[in-house]
């Protein structure tokens, strides 16, 4: 039906992709941690901190751009 409004599109994934090149340093730290954890046989090591650092960087980049679009 032509009179139905379009489904809203979430701009966040697109904005996050734009921020990934700016967060290379935390990404490399996360990847290095993953390699170390793969070699761990005790099962006690993890990369939670590096993971959240990486996504925190992307979220910081995306936040201002996302709210600009929502105004």
């Amino acid at each position: 039906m032509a009179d139905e409004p379009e489904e809203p599109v979430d701009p966040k994934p697109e904005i996050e992709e734009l921020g990934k090149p700016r967060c290379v340093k935390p990404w490399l730290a996360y990847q290095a941690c993953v390699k170390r954890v793969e070699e761990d046989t005790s099962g006690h090591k993890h990369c939670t901190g590096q993971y959240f650092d990486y996504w925190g960087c992307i979220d910081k980049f995306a936040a201002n751009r996302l709210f600009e679009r929502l105004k």
Side-chain angles (χ1 to χ4, degrees):
M1 300 198 181
D3 293 334
E4 290 184 24
E6 290 184 32
E7 284 291 317
V9 177
D10 183 5
K12 189 173 184 234
E14 178 185 336
I15 295 171
E16 287 175 342
E17 285 299 318
L18 294 173
K20 287 182 179 180
R22 296 173 185 251
C23 299
V24 172
K25 189 174 179 180
W27 174 252
L28 294 175
Y30 174 68
Q31 290 299 311
C33 180
V34 168
K35 284 184 181 182
R36 287 191 306 271
V37 169
E38 286 174 350
E39 297 169 1
D40 177 44
T41 57
S42 69
H44 295 292
K45 293 184 181 180
H46 58 81
C47 299
T48 305
Q50 291 83 353
Y51 178 82
F52 283 119
D53 288 345
Y54 173 64
W55 281 102
C57 176
I58 292 173
D59 284 343
K60 185 175 180 181
F61 171 83
N64 290 334
R65 286 151 187 87
L66 182 61
F67 286 110
E68 285 173 1
R69 288 189 182 188
L70 297 175
K71 288 182 181 177

